[in-house]
Amino acid sequence: MINPRRIAFDVLYKIETDKSYSSIIINQTLKENKLSKLDSSFSSAIIYGVLERKLTLDYIIRSYSSVRLKKIEKKTLILLRMAVYQMLFMDKIPESAAVNETVKLAKNLKLFKSSGFINGLLRSITRAEEKYNLENIKDKNKYLSVKYSVPEEIITLWKNSYGEEVTLDMLGSLSGRPPLYARVNTLLTTKENLICDLKKEGIRCESTPLENVIKISSTGAIELSKAFKEGKFYVQDLSSNIALESFSPKQGQTLYDVCSAPGGKSFTSAILMNNIGKINSFDLYPHKVNLINSSCKRLKIDIINATVKDASQNSETETADVVICDVPCSGLGLIRRKPEIRYKEDLFDNSLKEIQYKILTASSRLVKKGGRLLYSTCTLNPDENNRMIEKFLCENQDFQGEDIILPKNIKRTVEEKPYECSLFPQTNNSDGFYFAILRRNDK
């Protein structure tokens, strides 16, 4: 019988050592091991819980350990995090079960020397009246870092950029699994008919502020859904939909999507254009281009031409009415969805900003006179967002910002220039996201 705790350990170890993304490795591992729905949910809860609370768990472990964290063997530390998470943050798991199963797993992993250390530390936690106390941390940023398990460097960035109130609200919104949104393919169905179809499959649906975007849950493996196979919807976060509905590409236009994969922005553009016009979707990797083409067939979209191309190089001879430039970024807006992102060591790598600016500049040359450009990232860092656009407009006088008209019931969180918008998870329950709309002058 497959042990769901062992599956959770294997995934966490792989994320720790291979720097794999949780969303990819979890789905892949759970499918390969064919866990029951209950065991699958249990494994996922441990994995995401440990990733979301890693700094909190390490603080607790350190307070009970005579050995410094850096001296604890990696597999042992992962087992301790798993056990402490079950003991203190999972209500339905008895402490004794968490301790015994962790020690047993340590022995199965041949960590015989560590099993006694693990048992002793966990038993100390079970005996303690007060399991842990964060009020002992006097430095405010350190306290917030441990409480919300977000590195101090990120907290300082957000406080300096958006203010303390916005930062505290954002930190409070980061735990728990984020909502899953689906875009209705109105080329094939209506929102009402799709909701009816999904309910027949046992999938729960809720309306959102956007007319043709719904929130879905109890989906299971979404790609196995009959409605999904028939191309009636695709998964796309609310944030991207807000940006594209604000950008509003029109029927009959020519559009370039320069960093297209996995293709959602191209698909939504095609639907907003009623599948009339021309969309060239580019990506650097052939396998990703193949995925875009495969999705187009499923969605019955025939105006998209996906090809392999480097977005930092402008090799097109024809300019376009509209260009989407969604650049690679640090991903700080995706912390709820990919909790391990917050611990990456290269989050503030300056070379990334150089790549972003190079792609933005190359993309701008694809815009015809009078045409428009959408710049976007899935991060919340002004260096990659507001300051990037400010620099571009200073160095490219033939472009100017175009005021953004947000969809009804979508709210701003911070004051910005009228042609840019940062979306925060605590405000619209979307991923963190930034976009700006620019127009090339007619002359």
Side-chain angles (χ1 to χ4, degrees), residues 33-151:
N33 288 278
K34 298 179 180 178
L35 292 178
S36 68
K37 190 172 182 178
L38 185 63
D39 283 348
S40 179
S41 297
F42 181 57
S43 285
S44 296
I46 294 175
I47 295 164
Y48 282 117
V50 168
L51 292 175
E52 287 175 358
R53 297 182 182 268
K54 181 178 169 183
L55 298 185
T56 313
L57 297 170
D58 284 357
Y59 176 84
I60 296 169
I61 292 166
R62 180 67 188 91
S63 67
Y64 285 91
S65 175
S66 58
V67 181
R68 295 180 62 192
L69 286 180
K70 290 182 179 179
K71 296 291 186 180
I72 299 176
E73 194 269 338
K74 188 169 290 185
K75 291 181 179 179
T76 301
L77 184 56
I78 291 171
L79 287 173
L80 286 171
R81 288 170 181 159
M82 289 172 56
V84 174
Y85 178 72
Q86 292 171 70
M87 293 166 69
L88 303 185
F89 299 103
M90 294 183 77
D91 295 337
K92 295 182 180 179
I93 306 298
E95 286 186 344
S96 58
V99 175
N100 294 335
E101 290 299 322
T102 302
V103 172
K104 188 188 298 182
L105 183 53
K107 292 176 179 177
N108 288 339
L109 291 166
K110 303 190 187 310
L111 300 173
F112 300 111
K113 290 183 180 179
S114 296
S115 61
F117 171 68
I118 292 170
N119 185 59
L121 189 148
L122 297 181
R123 296 291 178 191
S124 295
I125 296 176
T126 62
R127 290 191 295 268
E129 290 186 18
E130 183 180 55
K131 306 301 184 185
Y132 67 100
N133 184 357
L134 302 185
E135 302 304 323
N136 296 328
I137 306 173
K138 301 306 178 185
D139 181 83
K140 189 166 186 180
N141 277 8
K142 175 71 173 176
Y143 167 79
L144 292 174
S145 175
V146 174
K147 180 178 180 179
Y148 295 107
S149 195
V150 174

Side-chain angles (χ1 to χ4, degrees), residues 8 14 33 60 95 113 147 214 226 278 312 362 398 437:
K14 194 169 183 63
N33 288 278
I60 296 169
E95 286 186 344
K113 290 183 180 179
K147 180 178 180 179
I214 57 175
K226 184 172 183 288
K278 183 169 71 172
S312 66
D398 55 334
I437 298 177

Side-chain angles (χ1 to χ4, degrees), residues 193-262:
N193 287 340
L194 176 62
I195 289 175
C196 184
D197 290 341
L198 291 177
K199 284 183 175 178
K200 289 177 183 176
E201 297 188 58
I203 297 174
R204 296 177 185 171
C205 307
E206 295 178 46
S207 294
T208 72
L210 301 186
E211 183 180 357
N212 287 307
V213 179
I214 57 175
K215 185 165 72 171
I216 55 177
S217 57
S218 302
T219 61
I222 196 70
E223 67 274 10
L224 299 180
S225 159
K226 184 172 183 288
F228 182 87
K229 290 178 180 179
E230 292 175 348
K232 294 179 179 179
F233 74 95
Y234 52 96
V235 173
Q236 186 179 44
D237 188 67
L238 195 65
S239 55
S240 294
N241 281 289
I242 292 168
L244 285 164
E245 292 202 13
S246 301
F247 191 47
S248 187
K250 306 298 182 186
Q251 179 175 308
Q253 289 184 327
T254 297
L255 181 150
Y256 289 156
D257 185 359
V258 301
C259 298
S260 182

Side-chain angles (χ1 to χ4, degrees), residues 339-357:
E340 70 282 359
I341 280 178
R342 71 188 87 183
Y343 311 118
K344 286 176 65 178
E345 295 177 358
D346 60 348
L347 273 175
F348 302 102
D349 182 3
N350 283 326
S351 64
L352 179 60
K353 293 190 276 287
E354 293 172 9
I355 293 168
Q356 291 167 339
Y357 194 71

